[in-house]
Amino acid sequence: MCLSIPSQVVELHPETQSVTVDTLGVKRTVSCHLMEEPLAVGDYVLIHIGFVMNKIDADSAAESLALYKEIVEKMEAADA
């Protein structure tokens, strides 16, 4: 099973068909070669092995990010 953390597009690179995304504070550049739908700064996307796979709405992204943060907090509390 593969889990994908929603990432927010923060920069467009049309010359290379890529975007820079922010995933929980970590920025990286990923390919848009598999996306037919245009992307804009502020969009939320799901990434797999360096490729944008699909765009998701902001509400779904916020819900997923809240769940990931809750999981991390519980894991950190268990380690303490």
Side-chain angles (χ1 to χ4, degrees):
M1 179 193 331
C2 204
L3 296 177
S4 185
I5 300 171
S7 302
Q8 188 172 32
V9 176
V10 295
E11 196 173 339
L12 305 173
H13 310 287
E15 66 283 353
T16 58
Q17 277 191 290
S18 62
V19 293
T20 299
V21 295
D22 183 319
T23 309
L24 297 176
V26 176
K27 291 184 181 173
R28 63 184 172 143
T29 301
V30 295
S31 174
C32 296
H33 282 95
L34 302 178
M35 279 292 294
E36 293 181 14
E37 186 177 355
L39 296 174
V41 170
D43 285 344
Y44 284 91
V45 296
L46 297 177
I47 298 164
H48 181 63
I49 60 169
F51 290 89
V52 175
M53 300 307 289
N54 60 320
K55 185 164 65 168
I56 62 172
D57 64 77
D59 290 338
S60 295
E63 183 179 344
S64 292
L65 289 168
L67 288 171
Y68 280 111
K69 289 177 184 176
E70 182 180 335
I71 291 168
V72 169
E73 289 170 0
K74 287 183 180 184
M75 290 174 64
E76 288 173 346
D79 289 342

